[in-house]
Amino acid sequence: MKENQPTNYPALYTLVVVFFFWGFIAAGNSVFIPFCKNYFQLDQFQSQLIDFAFYSAYYMGALLLFIFSTISGKDLVGKWGYKRSIIYGLLFSALGAGAMIVAVEVNLYAGMLIGLFIVALGFSLQQTAANPFAVILGDPKTGASRVNLGGAINSFGTTIGPLVIGFALFGTFEPISDSEIANLPLNKVVYLYIIVGLLFVLAAGLFHFSKKVPAGINNEPMESANKAKNTLIVMTILLLAMFIPVFLSYKSDDALQIEAWQNQLKETTDSGVIASLSAQIKDTLHSLEITRMAWLIGALLSVVGGLLFAYNRATKNPEGWGAMKYPQLVLGMLCLFIYVGIEVAIGSNLGELLTLEEFGNLQSSEITPYVSMYWGGMMIGRWAGAISAFQFSQSTKKILLVLVPLIAFGIIIGVNSLAGFNMSHLYFFVACVGIQIISFFLSKDKPARTLIIFGGLGLLAMAVGLLTTGNIAIYAFLTGGLACSIMWGSIFSLAIVGLGKYTEQGAAFLVMMILGGAIIPPLQGKLSDIIGIHNSYILPLLGFCYVIFFAFVVRGFLNKQGINIDQVEAEGGH
């Protein structure tokens, strides 16, 4: 890369298409989850397996690339070239869209999960290539602004994804009852994924045939990190060992007995029998749920324990750990894991929360504008966060820092209103956007300070949401999206600073931690099956506590390495 190199805009505009796809599908899952829960008669944990399938694919894709690259000694994506890697990723996602179509045609929930896994596996390859590709498409000094542009387009996808996928699932923007959902035809989902699959293929064609898009080959040698590789492999095996018993428990003797009792309940009118069966179901189910919860906590501890093990061992003997010998990276990996997990969990469990009487007693078809506003909060924050990447004067930046979030909020309201939703009940959410604007001014573009302030905002929002009901609680939980919106860039920049020749490897490790979106939402889903969906939001509250903790402790690590934390610049979002 050369300084003052002109930006390759045709290639950049082609590239941002893939950023849009990531946001569109990911946010649409928040509507897909409550739909599948009602359509397939699932509990909250089972419905959250959509997130498990989607985000675990990101982790598995990044891990496999890392293993292959470690064995070969060269970065596999760099060897293929960023252009060809994105093409492969898009075609793989198209294959996943095809699998989704087949699964919908045979009405198989497990097949849909496999389809989403394949789609996201393609996204993992695209994401690994797209961020560094955006940087090399021009002057390296303005690389962050190009990544931020991709993040802004990604966030636009998260805003309209719930609307389009909601229409595809429900066939209308008008509310329909949850009981009617079970009898809906899924032909519109087939049409949706036919279109999405064709768009993947079309985007791959644009990349392949465009002479303006460079190959982006990078033959830099891969830094050795065998101990890190082995730790990640063991961690993955432990994760599977923890989740498999949970999956099998749904066909266990206890589960089948509960199903038999439930069938007996439907056939009897004897009050004594009903009372006896209900008590047996309650006791057996409670015991079963506690067992499932224990396994899921074990899955969480597998990740947390694995990273803390790496941190402890690498501190004593850094040889063979590669980028993981840096404490800011390992604790940053854990922070990114938790942040992605709570970001996804808040939005994915929102639909179930809104079905409660004290939260509006909404039907699944009525939650779309709330989901759109939650993920739109990401767009509001990321658009505002992108301002600092451009060379505006200080006075202009201050004006834009007020105007851009308000304009983004207006776009979310406008798009949903055009879709026919009554958004009057969300107009006052602009007050929460105002609090976010104040938070940006207080943050002063400093990543650690930003994490503390926005982590505190998320913590306060979850506390208010847990202690209240109705619109106040809904606004509080939606504010979680505003709080999470800028965390990716801040955590990423703090975790990766000072890594030197291990920077690319550290970035790959951080991308793996999107795994949090696969582990924490199902964990909250199972927690909600035990203590209720409202109380389950204690999990995101605890997550924000760790984000704040990381922001405080990373300062000490960087100071010991002679790095001025206040000079670290935040980079674009995922």
Side-chain angles (χ1 to χ4, degrees), residues 30-63:
S30 295
V31 176
F32 203 44
I33 285 168
F35 171 84
C36 286
K37 180 178 182 181
N38 287 288
Y39 188 86
F40 292 103
Q41 302 296 303
L42 310 172
D43 66 20
Q44 189 63 9
F45 165 78
Q46 289 172 303
S47 69
Q48 292 293 324
L49 291 179
I50 288 170
D51 280 336
F52 175 79
F54 190 78
Y55 290 100
S56 64
Y58 272 94
Y59 170 72
M60 289 302 299
L63 178 62

Side-chain angles (χ1 to χ4, degrees), residues 285-300:
L285 183 59
H286 180 73
S287 175
L288 191 57
E289 295 290 35
I290 293 297
T291 302
R292 289 167 178 165
M293 189 68 190
W295 284 112
L296 290 172
I297 290 173
L300 179 66

Side-chain angles (χ1 to χ4, degrees), residues 33 36-37 41-53 109 113 242-250 288-289 292-297 299 348-349 352 518-530 533:
I33 285 168
C36 286
K37 180 178 182 181
Q41 302 296 303
L42 310 172
D43 66 20
Q44 189 63 9
F45 165 78
Q46 289 172 303
S47 69
Q48 292 293 324
L49 291 179
I50 288 170
D51 280 336
F52 175 79
Y109 180 59
L113 297 179
M242 296 298 170
F243 266 94
I244 287 173
V246 181
F247 298 149
L248 295 178
S249 73
Y250 283 90
L288 191 57
E289 295 290 35
R292 289 167 178 165
M293 189 68 190
W295 284 112
L296 290 172
I297 290 173
S348 295
N349 286 286
E352 180 66 13
I519 305 300
I520 294 178
L523 184 61
Q524 185 179 345
K526 183 49 63 187
L527 186 61
S528 77
D529 287 333
I530 297 171
I533 188 67

Side-chain angles (χ1 to χ4, degrees), residues 302-345:
S302 298
V303 178
V304 176
L307 292 175
L308 293 180
F309 170 82
Y311 167 77
N312 181 263
R313 289 302 179 95
T315 301
K316 295 177 181 177
N317 180 14
E319 186 67 30
W321 285 101
M324 279 193 185
K325 67 183 177 182
Y326 293 92
Q328 67 265 32
L329 176 72
V330 179
L331 295 183
M333 288 169 68
L334 182 55
C335 191
L336 207 68
F337 170 86
I338 290 172
Y339 143 68
V340 173
I342 60 178
E343 173 189 283
V344 176

